[in-house]
Amino acid sequence: MTGAVLGADGLRRCGWGDSADDYRVYHDTEWGRPVHGDDALFERVALEAFQSGLSWITILRRREGFRAAFAGFEIAAVAEFDEADAERLLQDPGIIRNRAKIAATIANARVARELDGGLDALIWQFAVEPGARPAPHTLSDVPAVTPESTALAKELKKQGFRFVGPTTAYALMQACGLVNDHLIDCHAR
């Protein structure tokens, strides 16, 4: 695999981040930047779960539909969703209509609502210290799973979360800035 690619705008970025306009905006403005707040992190947990088995761009392009369908990912609101809401979501063309993932999102909101200290504190305790790992030179240097993501997934599952395996947890950590996996020559690093 190669290092960062030179975009038409003259900026070097991780190869995936220059493959489509949606990816370029997400890469340059959001991916890898610290995300805090229980509702903001709940959104990312939910979207990473929905992404399981699909490409991220599929989720990214439906993000506004997900936000509308899931009450802006406000934990308190989603935790109150009932079976009628789940059925409504199964009919919503603006989201991925997967019964298990919808049920998991609602169940995860209920778990998040009851967390001592909140979701932010739970997730951020697994952040990788800046400089603790060498910056990746190529995409093949970026792991899919790490000890931290395995520990995060284990803790989330212990609390009652669903659809949060070690790979999904690592994608969450990357997206929310708990680890910096921008390539060494990427402008966003």
Side-chain angles (χ1 to χ4, degrees):
M1 309 256 14
T2 61
V5 298
L6 185 62
D9 58 3
L11 296 175
R12 288 198 170 280
R13 57 180 56 85
C14 305
W16 67 267
D18 200 57
S19 62
D21 288 340
D22 292 331
Y23 273 156
R24 190 174 307 105
V25 171
Y26 177 68
H27 172 275
D28 289 359
T29 64
E30 188 172 349
W31 190 79
R33 298 190 190 316
V35 173
H36 285 284
D38 289 356
D39 291 340
L41 285 164
F42 174 67
E43 175 183 358
R44 296 343 186 271
V45 169
L47 293 178
E48 292 294 347
F50 272 99
Q51 185 272 330
S52 183
L54 303 170
S55 70
W56 180 245
I57 203 156
T58 300
I59 303 304
L60 202 54
R61 289 180 174 160
R62 294 181 185 209
R63 192 173 191 183
E64 290 309 314
F66 276 107
R67 286 175 172 163
F70 284 97
F73 288 102
E74 291 179 24
I75 292 169
V78 179
E80 295 299 321
F81 280 17
D82 58 17
E83 189 56 39
D85 291 302
E87 290 302 317
R88 170 185 56 82
L89 292 167
L90 283 168
Q91 303 306 313
D92 190 331
I95 67 169
I96 304 302
R97 295 173 285 184
N98 178 296
R99 184 177 300 277
K101 292 176 182 181
I102 289 168
T105 300
I106 296 167
N108 289 348
R110 292 174 183 153
V111 171
R113 177 181 60 186
E114 303 303 322
L115 285 175
D116 287 334
L119 187 58
D120 190 290
L122 186 151
I123 289 175
W124 274 91
Q125 70 181 309
F126 296 94
V128 175
E129 214 39 58
R133 281 201 195 108
H137 289 265
T138 68
L139 293 177
S140 62
D141 294 334
V142 178
V145 174
T146 64
E148 294 88 359
S149 74
T150 300
L152 172 57
K154 183 177 178 181
E155 182 60 30
L156 287 167
K157 286 180 183 180
K158 177 180 163 189
Q159 295 295 329
F161 282 84
R162 296 192 262 173
F163 273 93
V164 289
T167 304
T168 299
Y170 195 65
L172 173 72
M173 292 174 72
Q174 291 173 304
C176 296
L178 280 80
V179 63
N180 185 353
D181 275 345
H182 283 286
L183 299 182
I184 195 164
D185 53 350
C186 174
H187 81 90
R189 187 160 185 93

